[in-house]
Amino acid sequence: MLNRITAAVFSSALALSLGLAAFSASAQQEIRLGYSSINPETRIAKDKGWIEEALKPKGVTVKWVESLGSNKSLEFLRGKAVDIASTSSASAFLARANGTPIKFVYWTGRNAHGAPILVRHDAPYKSINDLRGKKIAATPGTGPYISLIAALHKHGLTDKDVDIVSLQHAQGRLALAAGRVEAWAALEPDWTIAEVQTKARVLFVDKSLAGGGGLNVREEYLKANPEIVKIVLAQFNRARVFTKQNPEQAIKDFAESSKIDIDVARRVFERQLQQDDNPEIVAKDAADLAYWGELYKKLGSVPADTDVNAVVKAVLEPGFYKSAD
């Protein structure tokens, strides 16, 4: 009797173990990817189905999660809701410095035109100093927010000299148009939407505070699945190349997918073409990112004893992705 009970228990345990293993294997076959209208190639890659096609022979399925900004992407990466998502490079540094284990592996664009501060077309302001004491909409944890703080700092102001209103990018655009704020730290495509729909104007932009953005991978996922990540990045890059070679079709696809006016989509792409679109992480990127790290230390956004170069080394993954085009 005891042997039969022992055998039954062992059999049940084995079945449970095999069931859990099967569940684990099944769970490992899905990759979760962030996409956003902020990075057109992520939306184009999603709509074309290229990643699903490339991963099908590997038995890997794809789940897409929309992000409204770097702050949301980092929230998803921290919570393991996504495995790969786009953020500004400065946001990636800040997240890594504060304990989020991510790797920045691919540039979607080194922002050549800078992150602008917009005001209404009839606003009396002529310089960033005129915003002292005024309400400015911005999205914490994103490139435009960081660029805003850097711009204030560069001109002798701090975040204490203005009233920063925390809003997502699209909400900031609407708040500016409605007069609930006097300025907005803008980002595409909402930057162009504001210019086209409400004639908002750029009050301030500084190309030295440009930054840029790209794709991050959860470090744990990257270590376990480097080949899968390379396949995904190759298809995102396919979308980048498609955009360059078929601009009118890419503009049309992006406008339809993002539900924005075709003229807005065209201007967004025109600005995008001004960027350095080399997706590879190179040695120079470390020095550029260290600039933001030192600024974070001055602003108290990271501990005063943060080793900036060590964080840069930890977050950047140079040489992981090699462009074939």
Side-chain angles (χ1 to χ4, degrees):
M1 175 67 71
L2 183 59
N3 288 338
R4 288 200 298 272
I5 293 174
T6 301
V9 170
F10 175 80
S11 178
S12 298
L14 179 61
L16 178 60
S17 175
L18 292 173
L20 289 173
F23 174 81
S24 177
S26 175
Q28 290 172 359
Q29 290 176 351
E30 178 182 81
I31 186 169
R32 294 152 299 177
L33 306 175
Y35 73 98
S36 172
S37 293
I38 297 167
N39 287 314
E41 63 210 64
T42 62
R43 186 175 280 276
I44 288 173
K46 171 184 177 294
D47 294 341
K48 294 294 185 183
W50 290 331
I51 296 176
E52 288 86 345
E53 178 186 339
L55 290 179
K56 188 174 181 179
K58 300 284 187 181
V60 179
T61 60
V62 179
K63 178 181 179 181
W64 291 94
V65 180
E66 185 171 17
S67 171
L68 300 178
S70 296
N71 60 329
K72 292 299 181 182
S73 291
L74 290 168
E75 179 184 318
F76 295 153
L77 287 162
R78 276 193 298 270
K80 300 184 180 181
V82 297
D83 302 304
I84 301 177
S86 59
T87 74
S88 72
S89 57
S91 300
F93 175 95
L94 184 60
R96 184 79 199 205
N98 287 313
T100 300
I102 56 173
K103 287 285 190 178
F104 191 87
V105 294
Y106 178 102
W107 285 102
T108 52
R110 294 171 174 83
N111 192 346
H113 45 65
I117 298 173
L118 268 62
V119 296
R120 289 183 295 281
H121 69 93
D122 57 352
Y125 314 119
K126 293 182 172 59
S127 73
I128 193 170
N129 296 89
D130 294 336
L131 296 179
R132 185 186 293 270
K134 301 297 189 294
K135 289 183 177 181
I136 305 175
T139 311
T142 67
Y145 183 95
I146 294 161
S147 292
L148 168 64
I149 300 301
L152 291 170
H153 185 267
K154 186 172 182 177
H155 289 264
L157 303 173
T158 73
D159 59 332
K160 304 295 189 298
D161 294 309
V162 298
D163 182 4
I164 298 179
V165 181
S166 177
L167 294 170
Q168 284 296 141
H169 299 301
Q171 295 172 333
R173 169 175 56 81
L174 295 173
L176 177 65
R180 296 197 300 273
V181 297
E182 294 302 314
W184 164 53
L187 184 69
E188 293 286 24
D190 289 288
W191 171 6
T192 296
I193 293 172
E195 288 183 325
V196 171
Q197 293 185 352
T198 62
K199 309 303 180 186
R201 65 179 174 88
V202 174
L203 172 71
F204 174 88
V205 67
D206 186 337
K207 290 185 178 181
S208 71
L209 304 177
L215 299 173
N216 302 272
V217 188
R218 291 193 302 108
E219 187 172 26
E220 179 184 35
Y221 188 91
L222 181 62
K223 287 181 178 179
N225 306 280
E227 294 307 314
I228 297 298
V229 174
K230 286 180 179 178
I231 290 172
V232 171
L233 296 184
Q235 297 310 310
F236 277 130
N237 194 62
R238 182 179 177 183
R240 180 184 68 86
V241 174
F242 174 84
T243 297
K244 291 172 62 178
Q245 296 177 346
N246 306 276
E248 287 303 314
Q249 186 61 51
I251 289 167
K252 181 176 179 292
D253 292 346
F254 179 61
E256 290 178 355
S257 179
S258 301
K259 297 180 174 57
I260 59 177
D261 186 83
I262 190 73
D263 291 334
V264 170
R266 179 166 283 105
R267 192 178 300 189
V268 169
F269 272 72
E270 286 173 357
R271 285 201 177 109
Q272 187 183 37
L273 290 174
Q274 297 172 16
Q275 302 183 118
D276 176 0
D277 70 343
N278 174 19
E280 297 179 19
I281 308 298
V282 297
K284 180 179 177 295
D285 294 329
D288 292 341
L289 191 55
Y291 165 84
W292 293 101
E294 294 299 337
L295 178 62
Y296 282 133
K297 287 180 72 170
K298 291 179 182 177
L299 298 174
S301 300
V302 297
D305 60 352
T306 297
D307 185 334
V308 169
N309 289 328
V311 175
V312 169
K313 185 176 181 180
V315 73
L316 292 182
E317 194 69 7
F320 178 79
Y321 178 77
K322 296 286 188 181
S323 176
D325 63 297

